[in-house]
């Protein structure tokens, strides 16, 4: 299982990827007059990526919560203040 | 067309339903029922984002610019995908400190600055008013479209300035919404308390508008066409509709601008902040909303393009695409569907207006009115008057003002811009909050002055480049200002600032306002100092996830009694509620606050937070500081305290380390001491052995000398025998002393070595030859097995001979007395020369394998058949062999006896 740090990084990367995929110039790659299953390419692409991102987001969120719970349990016996000192530096 | 009465009755009926839902929601909350505290309700309440701008405007937008409308929903999707980074932090902070509005949030971050709260409030009100007006306009227009009263289906320009206010649908809707907002928005004095009733109503409206839009969409796609494929095929075949299926290739900058604007909007729109952050009852709900809200947006948008295509395809040319959602069903006489769509639009409009009004009125009340009243001391802070009534009245009055302002704007601006452009102007105003909000969440260095400068500059540029042109076009300003710039000054042209052309007005406005906003914020922050509270607050915000949330934020110095604080809070929150919260406080923190004498910092901070939830952070600070006779502890002192603590921690860590070091040192010393004692014991043994060894020959020499001396008459033969013994013993003494000297030399490194490359076989032969006499004397059977391969080793020949002689004599001495047997073998093994000497004696116990190479190892008195010799031979041998970089050791033979082995490196 990925560490909380790793998941934090993924939580940052996912919106960046989403932004990249949903803006030109990448978006304009699919800007043509063809159709996929009777649906214009661009329309199809936009909604496909949209759904794809939502699914990824949901998966990541589930793992983030789980991982944070594990982390919280692990750090519970240590007094939270002394732990903070270390993290902030 | 529907009859006016049907539409009016339905509208009022729907609004009545909303009142009932809100009332029911409040009732449930009062009873402690958590039915509405559900992530789905929360998600639907966030969907207040989708206003009439979405409901009607998206279709119009799609009809004009194709898929560009999606940017407005992609932005929020991306922000919610990244909820873990920004939204979660905002919610965590807001819940920790009980903020009631975005003005509280921003002003708190920058040292609870009252002035900053005023700036934020003003920008929010100015930016949101057109948006509220837009909703009112959409309601009246849709009403007109549906009933046909007041204008044709074609234009949305139906407002006649001369029309009586009382005949204006918008007016009555405004009045109803004011009533709603007052009834359900000001139920609590405590503004950060959740408005469960409002949330319930808004969630229901979000559900209904999605339902309505999907209903129209399904009717269009599957009723008017045979599914998506049919619809798109038709669309492709006509140039008018095929045009909007693809994007212009130069859409890039505009697309990016819209994405960024919508991302800013979902974070910083006052109504979004209200719903996502302030009304959040459980941080965990955000997790569900992070994917469910994007799903809502996706569903909302799936049919937008199809409806737009159908409208363009089927309706007469010139129909306003902004109301296709209504006109398409109407055109096909689907009156019920049209009515549902109309109610959906009404939902979208009313939910936005209600939430925005509550959010704005809270800010106006807490950040404009109350601070002013406090400043001029109209509230008589030091009197003992109940202020809850004043507060409620102020808030209600704020609601009326905000909504009336929206209505006024709607009445005067008339029509003109399409729904979309008004919405975008509003978004761009909201975007001005982003640098100070997001910057403040991650950058401790951002300070109050920087935030003020950034916000003001950004707002001015927004006003000048976007808002002013829009109202100039309506006719409020001299329109020439838009075309030539003020007084004809070219570089001040509002849409081509500094002569920069090539950007659309929106992109242009966002670009310049952000340059000035971010630039002003960052530069001023970098070049000015931060105050005490600012620095504390900055740390609390940036490190929101590191701090235990219940840690109090403020260090007050000064004296105020707990009872005084109680009275103060009571005046703003009312008796019952104050009693409740202080009772709860007492349960968790103990009854300390009631004690005589000054209240502790914890209690003061608690009181401040309570007040902040009611009148805003900035005002609360003023109120508390008016009774706490003292000031905030200066930052230097806080730092000094912190430093002291950290020094103590450091010292204790150092002590711990020292004691650890001492422990290791002690154990090392103990070990050394043990070794010394062992050595001491060895030395004692050594002396015992040496004296014993030396005494034996000396005793015999002395006694025989005495005999010779005393008995001069001894016969020659006898005397010779005695003299022989004396000589032999003397030689033994000499040998002993020589060996001691040798060992001492070897150990001290004073031995003189004559190292040469020699053939070891010759030395072995010499050794065997030398010991020949001893072999014969003991009848020992000697076997040799010496490899004939020629090799050389680098040794001192004489010393190696000495070692071999020692091993051989030992072997002869210790071998079996009845069948003495000794074997010498020598061979090459890899890059080493191995010589072994074995006997068939009693062998060496495993435990002694190491020990026998020590000096006087034989000192063990228990050894049977104590052989003669100094006991130094093996020690010397070991020293010698090790000097040759070789090894010497002993093994026990499997049957009987010992094998001594020497390993010498071959000369390379």
């Amino acid at each position: 299982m990925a560490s909380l740090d790793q998941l934090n990084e993924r939580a940052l990367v996912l919106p960046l990827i989403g932004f990249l995929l949903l803006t030109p110039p990448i978006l304009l790659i699919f800007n043509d007059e063809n159709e996929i299953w009777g649906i214009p390419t661009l329309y199809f692409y936009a909604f496909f990526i949209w759904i794809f991102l939502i699914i990824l987001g949901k998966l990541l969120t589930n793992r983030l919560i789980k991982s944070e719970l594990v982390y919280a349990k692990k750090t519970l016996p240590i007094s939270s203040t002394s732990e903070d000192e270390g993290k902030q530096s | 067309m529907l009859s006016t009465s049907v539409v009016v009755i339905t509208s009022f009926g729907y609004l009545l339903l909303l009142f009932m839902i809100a009332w029911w929601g409040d009732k449930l909350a009062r009873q402690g029922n958590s039915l509405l505290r559900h992530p789905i309700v929360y998600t639907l309440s966030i969907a207040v984002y989708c206003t009439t701008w979405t409901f009607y405007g998206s279709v119009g937008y799609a009809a004009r610019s194709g898929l560009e409308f999606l940017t407005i929903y992609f932005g929020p999707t991306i922000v919610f995908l990244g909820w873990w980074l920004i939204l979660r932090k905002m919610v965590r902070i807001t819940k920790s400190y009980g903020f009631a509005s975005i003005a509280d949030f921003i002003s708190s971050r920058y040292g609870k600055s009252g002035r900053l709260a005023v700036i934020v409030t003003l920008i929010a009100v100015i930016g949101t008013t057109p948006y509220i007006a837009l909703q009112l306009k959409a309601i009246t227009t849709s009403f007109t479209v549906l009933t046909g009263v007041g204008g044709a289906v074609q234009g949305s320009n139906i407002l006649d300035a001369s029309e009586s206010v009382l005949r204006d649908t918008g007016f009555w809707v405004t009045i109803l919404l004011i009533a709603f907002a007052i009834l359900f928005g000001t139920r609590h004095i405590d503004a950060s308390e959740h408005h469960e009733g409002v949330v319930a109503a808004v969630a229901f409206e979000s559900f209904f508008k999605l339902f309505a839009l999907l209903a129209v969409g399904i009717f269009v796609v599957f009723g008017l066409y045979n599914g998506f494929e049919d619809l798109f095929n038709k669309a492709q075949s006509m140039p008018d509709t095929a045009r909007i299926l693809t994007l212009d290739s130069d859409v890039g900058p505009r697309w990016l601008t819209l994405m960024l604007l919508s991302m800013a909007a979902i974070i910083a729109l006052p109504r979004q902040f209200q719903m996502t952050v302030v009304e959040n009852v459980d941080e965990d709900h955000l997790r569900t909303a992070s994917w469910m809200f994007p799903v809502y947006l996706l569903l909302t948008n799936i049919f937008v393009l199809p409806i737009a295509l159908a409208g363009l395809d089927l309706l007469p040319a010139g129909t306003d695409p902004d109301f296709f959602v209504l006109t398409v069903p109407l055109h096909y006489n689907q009156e019920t569907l049209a009515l549902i769509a109309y109610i959906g639009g009404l939902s979208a409009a009313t939910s936005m207006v209600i939430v925005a009004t509550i959010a704005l009125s809270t800010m106006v009340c807490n950040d404009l009115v109350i601070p002013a009243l406090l400043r001029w001391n109209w509230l008589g802070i030091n009197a003992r008057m109940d202020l809850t009534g004043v507060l409620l009245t102020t808030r209600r009055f704020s609601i009326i003002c905000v909504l009336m302002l929206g209505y006024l704007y709607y009445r005067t601006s008339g029509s003109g811009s399409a729904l979309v452009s008004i919405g975008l102007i509003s978004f761009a105003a909201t975007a001005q909050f982003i640098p100070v909000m997001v910057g403040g969440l991650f950058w401790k260095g951002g300070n109050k002055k920087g935030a003020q400068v950034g916000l003001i500059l950004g707002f001015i540029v927004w006003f000048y480049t976007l808002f002013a042109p829009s109202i100039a076009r309506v006719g409020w300003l001299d329109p020439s200002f838009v075309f030539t710039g003020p007084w004809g000054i070219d570089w001040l042209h509002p849409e081509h600032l500094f002569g920069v052309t090539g950007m659309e007005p929106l992109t242009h406005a966002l670009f310049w306002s952000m340059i000035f906003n971010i630039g002003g914020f960052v530069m001023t922050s970098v070049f000015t100092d931060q105050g005490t509270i600012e620095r504390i607050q900055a740390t609390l915000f940036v490190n929101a996830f590191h701090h235990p949330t219940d840690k109090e934020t403020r260090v007050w110095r000064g004296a105020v009694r707990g009872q005084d604080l109680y009275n103060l809070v009571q005046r703003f929150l009312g008796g019952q509620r104050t009693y409740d919260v202080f009772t709860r406080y007492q349960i968790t923190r103990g009854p300390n606050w009631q004690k005589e004498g000054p209240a502790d910092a914890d209690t003061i901070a608690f009181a401040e937070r309570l007040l902040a939830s009611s009148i805003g952070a900035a005002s609360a600070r003023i109120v508390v500081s008016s009774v706490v006779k003292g000031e905030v502890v200066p930052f230097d002192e806080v730092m000094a305290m912190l430093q002291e603590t950290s020094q103590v921690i450091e010292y204790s860590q150092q002590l711990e380390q020292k004691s650890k070091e001492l422990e290791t040192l002690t154990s090392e010393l103990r070990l050394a001491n043990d070794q010394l004692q062992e050595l001491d014991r060895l030395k004692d043994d050594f002396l015992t052995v040496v004296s014993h060894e030396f005494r034996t020959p000396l005793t015999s020499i002395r006694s025989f000398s005495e005999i010779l001396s005393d008995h001069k008459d001894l016969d020659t033969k006898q005397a010779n025998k005695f003299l022989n013994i004396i000589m032999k013993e003397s030689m033994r003494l000499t040998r002993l002393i020589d060996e001691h000297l040798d060992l001492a030399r070897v150990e001290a490194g004073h031995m003189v070595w004559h190292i040469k490359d020699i053939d070891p076989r010759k030395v072995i032969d010499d050794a065997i030859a030398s010991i020949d006499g001893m072999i014969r004397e003991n009848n020992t059977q000697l076997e040799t097995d010496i490899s004939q391969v020629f090799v050389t080793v680098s040794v001192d020949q004489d010393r190696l001979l000495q070692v071999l002689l020692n091993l051989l004599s030992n072997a002869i001495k210790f071998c079996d007395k009845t069948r003495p047997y000794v074997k010498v073998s020598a061979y090459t093994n890899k890059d080493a020369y191995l010589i072994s000497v074995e006997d068939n004696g009693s062998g060496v116990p495993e435990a002694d394998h190491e020990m026998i190479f020590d000096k006087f190892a034989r000192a063990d008195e228990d050894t049977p058949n104590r052989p003669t010799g100094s006991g130094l031979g093996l020690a010397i041998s070991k020293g010698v062999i090790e000097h040759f970089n070789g090894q010497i050791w002993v093994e026990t033979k499997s049957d009987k006896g010992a094998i001594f082995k020497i390993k010498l490196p071959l000369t390379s």
Side-chain angles (χ1 to χ4, degrees):
Chain A
M1 186 154 164
S3 73
L4 192 58
D5 279 346
Q6 254 177 316
L7 290 173
N8 272 326
E9 281 163 16
R10 285 182 210 172
L12 174 68
V13 168
L14 182 67
L16 291 180
I17 291 176
F19 190 86
L20 208 67
L21 289 176
L22 294 176
T23 37
I26 290 183
L27 187 85
L28 291 181
I29 296 173
F30 302 90
N31 189 24
D32 59 37
E33 278 150 31
N34 299 327
E35 292 185 346
I36 298 175
W37 301 329
I39 295 169
T41 321
L42 192 64
Y43 191 74
F44 185 87
Y45 171 79
F47 280 88
F48 177 78
I49 293 294
W50 204 343
I51 293 169
F52 172 72
L53 287 175
I54 289 171
I55 292 170
L56 278 189
K58 175 153 172 48
L59 291 177
L60 178 65
T61 295
N62 288 349
R63 295 188 60 181
L64 274 168
I65 295 293
K66 235 186 261 170
S67 173
E68 202 185 41
L69 277 180
V70 170
Y71 178 77
K73 269 182 204 154
K74 237 187 335 199
T75 51
L76 210 58
I78 307 164
S79 92
S80 51
T81 39
S82 63
E83 227 244 327
D84 287 342
E85 302 299 330
K87 248 195 278 176
Q88 280 167 42
S89 55
Chain B
M1 296 301 133
L2 281 91
S3 76
T4 313
S5 55
V6 168
V7 179
V8 169
I9 289 170
T10 316
S11 308
F12 276 86
Y14 179 74
L15 289 176
L16 202 66
L17 178 68
L18 281 191
F19 275 80
M20 282 167 64
I21 291 173
W23 177 80
W24 173 71
D26 269 347
K27 192 177 143 207
L28 279 187
R30 260 201 308 278
Q31 291 168 348
N33 190 320
S34 60
L35 184 69
L36 292 172
R37 296 179 157 233
H38 194 277
I40 293 181
V41 173
Y42 175 66
T43 308
L44 285 172
S45 74
I46 295 173
V48 72
Y49 180 74
C50 300
T51 62
T52 54
W53 193 44
T54 300
F55 196 83
Y56 295 126
S58 278
V59 174
Y61 198 166
R64 279 183 284 266
S65 316
L67 283 179
E68 206 174 281
F69 73 96
L70 284 178
T71 49
I72 304 302
Y73 310 94
F74 283 166
T77 300
I78 284 161
V79 169
F80 270 78
L81 279 179
W83 69 286
W84 189 255
L85 302 170
I86 295 178
L87 291 178
R88 192 173 63 115
K89 205 168 186 178
M90 283 166 53
V91 169
R92 177 77 58 92
I93 293 169
T94 302
K95 290 176 80 68
S96 309
Y97 305 112
F99 298 150
S101 68
I102 190 169
D104 263 358
F105 187 87
I106 294 177
S107 71
S108 270
R109 162 63 182 78
Y110 299 99
K112 313 192 182 180
S113 154
R115 199 175 304 164
L116 205 51
V118 170
I119 296 171
V120 172
T121 304
L122 287 177
I123 295 178
V125 170
I126 296 171
T128 311
T129 302
Y131 209 114
I132 292 177
L134 168 78
Q135 308 304 318
L136 298 175
K137 181 182 142 181
I139 293 175
T140 37
T141 312
S142 64
F143 180 79
T144 310
V145 167
L146 204 62
T147 58
V149 173
V153 176
Q154 272 85 354
S156 60
N157 189 0
I158 40 86
L159 257 187
D160 185 352
S162 64
E163 192 185 357
S164 155
V165 166
L166 295 179
R167 284 201 56 212
D168 178 8
T169 335
F171 178 75
W172 294 108
V173 171
T174 311
I175 296 293
L176 273 176
L177 291 178
I178 287 175
F180 188 94
I182 286 178
L183 267 180
F184 299 103
T186 59
R187 209 170 56 78
H188 309 286
I189 306 289
D190 182 346
S192 72
E193 280 279 290
H194 304 290
H195 304 96
E196 285 88 354
V198 176
V199 170
V202 168
F204 174 75
E205 298 207 274
S206 292
F207 167 75
F208 195 87
K209 69 194 178 199
L210 179 63
F211 166 74
L213 204 55
L214 289 178
V216 174
I218 289 169
F219 165 71
V220 166
V221 174
F222 299 100
L224 301 181
Y225 295 88
N226 293 319
F228 283 104
E229 202 167 348
D230 180 36
L231 176 97
F232 284 121
N233 277 339
K234 280 236 176 72
Q236 293 276 28
S237 62
M238 288 187 305
D240 203 31
T241 44
R243 169 183 62 85
I244 64 170
L245 292 179
T246 54
L247 291 169
D248 295 336
S249 53
D250 61 349
V251 76
R254 184 169 171 78
W255 188 282
L256 202 66
T257 306
L258 291 169
M259 286 274 276
L260 293 174
L261 275 182
S262 63
M263 288 170 78
I266 197 70
I267 295 173
L269 273 176
R271 69 170 192 278
Q272 292 311 133
F273 191 88
Q274 180 78 29
M275 279 315 188
T276 315
V277 183
V278 178
E279 299 289 350
N280 176 293
V281 288
D282 183 351
E283 200 184 296
D284 209 33
H285 290 177
L286 193 57
R287 172 172 61 120
T288 311
S290 78
W291 61 270
M292 205 189 268
F293 180 57
V295 168
Y296 183 96
L297 294 178
L298 185 133
L299 290 176
T300 303
N301 282 288
I302 263 187
F303 289 111
V304 167
L305 190 68
I307 295 172
L309 292 169
L312 289 173
D313 180 19
L314 305 169
L315 294 189
T319 311
D320 183 357
D322 272 343
F323 289 93
F324 276 168
V325 175
L326 288 179
T327 45
V328 171
L330 271 184
H331 191 75
Y332 289 91
N333 293 321
Q334 297 287 331
E335 293 189 341
T336 318
L337 186 61
L339 198 60
I340 289 175
Y342 163 78
I343 296 293
L346 191 64
S347 301
T350 51
S351 59
M352 181 274 163
V353 174
I354 289 166
V355 178
T357 305
I358 290 173
L360 287 181
S361 67
T362 306
M363 284 155 77
V364 168
C365 171
N366 286 357
D367 301 306
L368 291 183
V369 183
I370 298 288
L373 294 181
L374 287 172
R375 177 152 304 182
W376 294 313
N377 207 13
W378 288 351
L379 292 184
I381 277 297
N382 299 315
R384 296 197 165 270
M385 193 178 74
D386 185 3
L387 294 175
T388 52
V390 179
L391 268 177
L392 275 183
T393 314
T394 312
R395 199 158 297 153
R396 285 170 184 160
F397 185 69
S398 306
I399 287 177
I400 297 172
C401 282
V402 168
L403 258 172
M404 276 305 166
L405 199 65
Y407 180 69
L408 214 67
Y409 187 89
Y410 144 76
R411 283 289 290 191
T412 45
S413 74
S415 58
S417 323
L419 297 183
V420 169
S421 62
I422 298 181
L424 288 177
I425 290 172
S426 190
F427 275 21
T430 301
Q432 304 309 320
F433 296 143
I434 292 297
V436 294
M437 274 181 91
V438 178
L441 281 178
F442 297 99
W443 181 41
K444 281 186 206 168
N447 67 18
K448 180 169 70 184
K449 292 194 192 83
Q452 286 174 0
V453 171
L455 277 178
I456 290 174
L457 284 182
F459 177 70
I460 290 173
V461 175
W462 166 81
F463 192 89
Y464 186 75
T465 56
L466 207 59
F467 194 68
S470 90
I471 57 176
R473 286 199 168 89
V474 175
W476 285 9
L477 287 172
D478 180 9
S480 69
F481 153 81
V482 183
F483 302 112
T484 59
W487 309 289
I489 302 171
D490 239 8
W491 62 272
L492 277 179
H493 191 299
E495 292 181 350
H496 305 290
L497 215 54
F498 308 118
V500 176
T501 53
M503 278 193 280
E504 286 184 84
L506 188 66
T507 311
H508 173 266
L510 187 70
F511 174 76
W512 283 115
S513 64
M514 280 299 142
I515 291 280
F516 278 92
N517 186 333
I518 297 172
F521 173 50
V522 172
M523 296 293 275
T524 314
S525 294
V526 169
F527 286 106
T528 58
D529 288 331
Q530 244 177 342
T532 310
I533 312 170
E534 281 180 74
R535 243 188 273 188
I536 297 171
Q537 290 297 101
T539 312
L540 288 175
F541 270 59
V542 173
N543 295 339
F545 290 125
H546 302 323
H547 282 270
T549 44
D550 61 349
K551 228 185 200 172
E552 294 300 345
T553 65
R554 276 292 278 288
V555 192
W556 286 98
R557 185 172 59 181
V560 60
R561 288 185 314 127
Q563 195 55 48
D564 291 340
L565 285 171
Y566 183 91
N567 293 340
L568 182 71
V569 173
Q570 191 176 27
R571 294 174 58 205
F572 286 91
L573 260 73
Q576 184 58 43
R577 186 160 157 69
T578 309
Y579 177 77
D580 289 348
V581 287
F582 268 89
T583 310
R584 243 180 288 151
Y585 180 72
Q586 189 164 333
I587 290 168
T588 52
R589 305 285 169 104
N592 277 345
W593 68 272
Q594 279 182 325
K595 272 195 297 205
E596 282 301 314
D600 55 6
D602 198 50
T603 312
I604 303 178
F606 171 69
E608 191 195 348
R609 214 167 63 177
L610 278 178
L611 286 172
S613 70
S614 167
I615 56 173
S619 305
R621 194 186 147 216
I622 301 172
V623 172
V624 171
S625 58
S626 75
V627 295
V628 178
K629 304 286 186 299
E631 73 223 66
V632 173
V633 179
F635 191 67
D636 299 344
E637 266 178 50
V638 178
M639 284 317 285
M641 279 190 248
L642 282 175
Q643 221 156 12
E644 232 167 81
T645 320
S646 61
Q647 265 173 6
V648 171
I649 292 171
E650 202 181 319
Y651 285 148
S652 82
Q653 279 172 345
Q654 280 177 356
L655 273 177
E656 210 171 299
Q657 203 184 339
K658 283 268 160 62
S659 82
K660 263 183 203 154
E661 280 171 14
L662 277 175
E663 237 166 75
T664 26
L665 211 64
T666 312
S667 66
E668 275 172 20
L669 277 174
R670 193 171 297 134
L671 202 73
N673 191 37
D674 286 351
Q675 281 174 342
L676 272 178
Q677 277 177 351
E678 173 70 12
L679 283 176
D680 190 47
R681 194 183 65 78
L682 282 175
K683 186 203 73 187
D684 285 348
D685 291 350
F686 177 80
L687 286 177
T688 315
V689 172
V690 166
S691 46
H692 183 80
E693 295 285 341
F694 279 27
R695 207 174 55 212
T696 318
L698 274 176
T699 312
S700 60
I701 290 171
R702 209 187 72 202
S703 38
F704 285 112
S705 308
E706 271 172 10
I707 294 171
L708 285 174
S709 158
D710 291 351
H711 307 275
K712 308 271 191 214
D713 52 341
L714 272 176
D715 59 50
T716 322
K717 194 180 162 198
Q718 193 77 3
N720 271 346
K721 189 183 166 195
F722 287 170
L723 280 171
N724 256 334
I725 292 172
I726 291 173
M727 250 164 61
K728 237 167 89 184
E729 291 300 317
S730 305
M731 273 159 64
R732 193 169 143 202
L733 253 183
T734 314
R735 204 174 62 238
L736 257 174
I737 291 166
D738 280 350
E739 282 184 351
H740 272 116
L741 286 175
D742 270 0
L743 184 67
R745 273 203 292 264
V746 170
E747 284 188 337
H750 291 311
M751 183 79 94
V752 182
W753 302 95
H754 305 282
I755 307 268
K756 272 183 279 184
D757 289 350
I758 53 142
D759 183 357
R761 283 176 303 173
K762 190 176 166 302
V763 185
I764 296 168
D765 289 343
D766 285 353
I768 292 169
S770 308
I771 208 115
D772 190 48
M774 196 174 166
I775 291 169
R776 293 229 191 111
E777 193 179 317
N778 289 289
N779 287 324
T780 311
Q781 181 197 349
L782 179 76
E783 195 185 326
T784 56
D785 173 17
I786 293 163
S787 149
Q788 294 304 310
V789 184
F790 174 79
V791 288
T792 56
V793 289
S794 194
V795 295
D796 182 324
Q797 187 168 349
D798 292 340
R799 296 294 163 196
L800 182 59
L801 183 66
Q802 184 187 355
V803 171
L804 289 176
L805 281 175
N806 180 264
L807 290 184
L808 279 169
S809 60
N810 277 351
I812 294 163
K813 260 185 265 173
F814 289 102
C815 67
D816 193 75
K817 291 294 172 241
T818 50
R819 285 192 326 109
Y821 166 81
V822 172
K823 179 179 175 186
V824 178
S825 48
Y827 49 90
T828 315
N829 181 10
K830 288 178 190 163
D831 51 355
Y833 195 73
L834 260 159
I835 306 168
S836 63
V837 177
E838 60 177 281
D839 60 57
N840 60 347
S842 53
V844 181
E846 193 86 24
D848 293 343
H849 280 189
E850 297 276 331
M851 200 263 283
I852 56 165
F853 291 99
D854 289 345
K855 282 167 270 185
F856 305 107
R858 253 185 344 90
D860 190 353
E861 300 293 340
D862 297 340
T863 314
N865 316 321
R866 237 178 93 84
T868 51
S870 62
L872 289 175
L874 284 175
I876 295 171
S877 300
K878 190 166 185 243
V880 169
I881 297 298
E882 280 175 359
H883 187 85
F884 299 152
N885 295 322
Q887 283 168 297
I888 180 166
W889 71 97
V890 65
E891 289 170 12
T892 307
K893 259 176 26 174
S894 50
D895 45 352
K896 198 170 173 242
I899 313 174
F900 282 84
K901 289 193 171 172
I902 298 172
K903 187 175 172 187
L904 291 168
L906 292 175
T907 316
S908 52

